[in-house]
Amino acid sequence: MEKDEGSPSLYRIRFHGRGGQGMKTASRILGSALFQEGFQVQDAPRYGAERRGAPIFAYVRASRDPINERGIIHAPDLVIVADETLLSIPAAGVLHGVAAATVLLVNSGENVESLQARLNVAGRLIAFAAEKEGLHDLRYVGAACAGAAARLIGVISRSSLEVAIRDELAHLGDAIIKNNLQLALGFYDLMAPHVGVVTPGRGISALDYRNPEWVDFPFEEARLSVPAVFAPGTSARLKTGLWRTERPVLDPDLCKRCSLCATYCPENAITLDRQGYPNIDYDHCKGCLLCVEQCPAHAMRTVPEHDTAGGRKGEEHS
Amino acid sequence: MRGKAMNEKNQNRLQNRHSEHLLGTGTPMCAGCGGLAAIKEIYDVIGEKSVFINAAGCMTLLANYPFTPFRGSWLYTAMACAPAGAQGVRDALDILLAKGRLAAAEDLETVVLTGDGSANGIGLSATSGAMDRCLDFLYICYDNEGYGNTGQQASAATPLGARTATSRGPLGYPGRKKDLFAIWAAHRPTYVATVSPSHPLDLVRKLETAKNLKGPRLVLAFAPCPTGWGFDPKEMIEVGKLAVQTGIWPLKEYREGKVTHTIVPRPRLPVDEYLRRQGRFAHLFQPQRNEDVLQKIHSSVDAYWDAIES
Amino acid sequence: MKRILLTGNNAAAWGARLAGVEYVPAFPITPQTEIIETLAYWIDSGEIDCRMTTLESEHSMITAAGAAAATGVRVFTATSSQGLLYGMEMLYTVAGWRAPFVMVNVSRGLSSPITLEPDHNDILAARDSGFLQIHCATCQEVLDGILLAYRLAEHEKVRLPVLVNMDGFYLSFTREPVEIPDAAAVRRFLSGYDAENIRFRAGAPLSEAVAVLGGTLYSYFRYEMHLAALNGLKAFGEIAADFAAIFGREYRDVEGYRTDDAELVFVMIGSFATKAKEAVDRLRDAGIPAGLVRPILLRPFPRERIRNMLAGKKGVAVIDQNLSLGMGGILHAEISSALYGVAGSQPIVAGFIGGLGGRDISAEEFYQMANETLQAVEEGHAPPPRLLFAREELAEVRRMQQIAGVTRNAGESHE
């Protein structure tokens, strides 16, 4: 199979979200829709050891020619961010490989100029406030993102998108399909002003490429190079609080200091102070809300993360 | 023993243990993980003078380079052979102690940590062998009733009727949950106990008992799994309580040939109250009740407690 | 025939389904589990007539697979990495039963340290077991490879079990367009299982796999297996021709891509080889006559074909996604041995170790490998094996080691 020399024919698209927000489904809907349009397609989710709520991503490649590239997309043409709280988490890798030609689509109510300045990205940035546009259940954010992305790419018809959603969600039943369809098509329509802004990127030329700078691999003694952790409790450096979409908040006036919350918290994210009042470690609380559920005095309440003062902004992932 | 009825002495006891915790934060376990809730309580009792010997399962990911929540030691072996790893560590510690190359104060409790998949299946031969040899070790099994780490396929600990990734038919899992407690007890080890994170005082007392004994000891921890069983993470403790209150998960211990039930639920709540909470049993109630399977589940629970209470 | 998007795992399940497998002994392991989940779903919903039994370990699973095949049903199973190695004793054992079945391995790096992502040390650890090996580069090849594998395994001059390998994540969880052939067409290619003389029946008692005392019998039985495996080369050619006639897709034991006029040839197995194809195209754009040689069949080893394809080339870059500790790349050794002892000038064979534990291999790295190999050709001697590992990766490791409490003595590099 001969290809045109260096022809820009391959779309490279990445979806970023959290476990449970349907990024795999979003990538599959988009992949299916492109497949409907006669493209060769490759789509895949990427998840590590972390679970629900943790940052994950999924990607789609599409081309009129057979696709030989594999694995993580390093030079995306389109990056979709379903959850803007990921933007402040460097480890989520949202901006990895984002260049001037990359289109960035962010689910955010913030205005484009301030987002652009905050993220320091040169390329086109499109923001959509999914909640304002009728998305009230975060489980459907994936479908909304797929619908929006489909319009930005510009080569997917409304009917192909619809077929893709019906195919990909067939196992979930008519009611869920209906909700997803409505949202995805709504966001597809919403993106009409930006139709076709995404263009497929060129591959990396073998004439002019960055040297990978391999090292001459050094020998190190086993005491250094054994896969062992010599320090205790290092996992506290992992800020699993970033998984949270809702947080428990204590009302000290109602607290009876029974300590059940600290007992039941699976994460050890609640300790008691000297007076016996619970202290919630928001760096690590994953937001399971067992403490809210189990508090006999109803002294804990649930607060959506984006309603908390400052939210996650400023929290750093080490 | 329920939260609201907890007396002041017990309250103080809990409070004293929560000014700080031993098991570190930041683990990759799912939010609302019942296994982690049990293990963090267990670790508070066992303490950092321990070496956890782990087999493949969800908890393998507790230690993920360069991060570990443990303040004591850890060794990952493989799915089949954690008790054999414990044998090697224990034997070596004993040799070092006997030769004076290890101070008694530097000795470690040898703890095996596995899920139900390893404990009931691939690792059972190694476990049985360790008991044959009267190995001085504590085995912690977190029982989430399936191969949770690979996406909740049916294991030998999966209960009748539960839907799993490999039993998605209308009847759910057709087999019965293996009685690991009885299998251990049949080996006549030092101690066998069941615990649930929903019953922390019972759990802590049993761990303290186990810690002060020598020889083979099993603590089988109920591990309600929001991800694999299909319930909201915030309901994990409630699911644990219901398992005990309906008699599905008996809290008991074995010592010196005798089995004692540490909490006898009276009156027992209807088993359906436990089953209905979980997506994995939803097909038994919708679109219509599956009386046949439900009857089998009810009668096995009734038969168990009839035998205990008669 | 229909063409849909399928993951490698789903494609494997479809391969088994179309092959009409009757029995699936199973045990879950990431990243293979979707295969048995999919088959379980089809069985539960009555879509296929097949029995699945979840065993308590891979050792038992492989035993049950071989035993069922020896009793006369068509068997499929799947595993990965630790599971393949846990069953290693039984790989050698059931191969000796000469009872054909197919097992998919989804490649994943081996412990220690334990990991989830792919490399080929698991599957290559099984290379001496008597199982034949088919290595897939696409999801389509996974489906097709399973159909080819049954024909190969059950071929009267072969009669050995076959492993079909795909890379975890890169194929197992990645969807690509896959043509699902019609069941009727598959039936023309692959008929029902006929175990012939391998079957336990009351009317015809059989003692299978009995002990031998002494090396004479042992040598006879083992070398017969070896000859049977070698017969797989010719058999594969016949089978692939049948396959092409029915399905229109052509497979050879070794795929060559733009090799005819190539001066520099990459050698790789598995899904990363498609990245090499892309690199070949880009290198040619840049005026470097590159090509790719990809063994699909690795056992039996297509020595002659590889020799012929590499003869007369200037440089060969073997990329091993495996590491024989204390030796180097396994393929590098096998390719070098295939080229040794042939008259005339032989290519410089450079060895690269890359993609361990799922580490990506970038386009730039393919270009760099090509350039370093051509440099070695200029200099006239093969360079020492190199690990694809960037300076910034080493710096990242150092940062993690600091968190892990690794203490370096004065003078030891912290870089």
Side-chain angles (χ1 to χ4, degrees), chain B residues 120-134:
Chain B
N120 287 277
I122 187 171
L124 190 52
S125 172
T127 307
S128 180
M131 282 192 273
D132 297 344
R133 300 183 296 264
C134 285

Side-chain angles (χ1 to χ4, degrees), chain B residues 5-24:
Chain B
M6 203 174 279
N7 64 36
E8 204 171 308
K9 184 180 154 214
N10 283 342
Q11 273 194 21
N12 290 339
R13 205 168 150 199
L14 282 180
Q15 277 175 357
N16 292 339
R17 293 182 26 252
H18 294 307
S19 53
E20 58 184 322
H21 291 288
L22 220 43
L23 193 70

Side-chain angles (χ1 to χ4, degrees), chain A residues 51 235 257 262 268 286, chain B residues 15 23 25 29 40 61 241:
Chain A
R51 314 294 163 97
S235 61
R257 294 183 282 172
N268 271 343
K286 291 173 186 159
Chain B
Q15 277 175 357
L23 193 70
T25 51
M29 298 301 109
K40 69 125 193 186
L61 297 170
K241 285 179 181 171

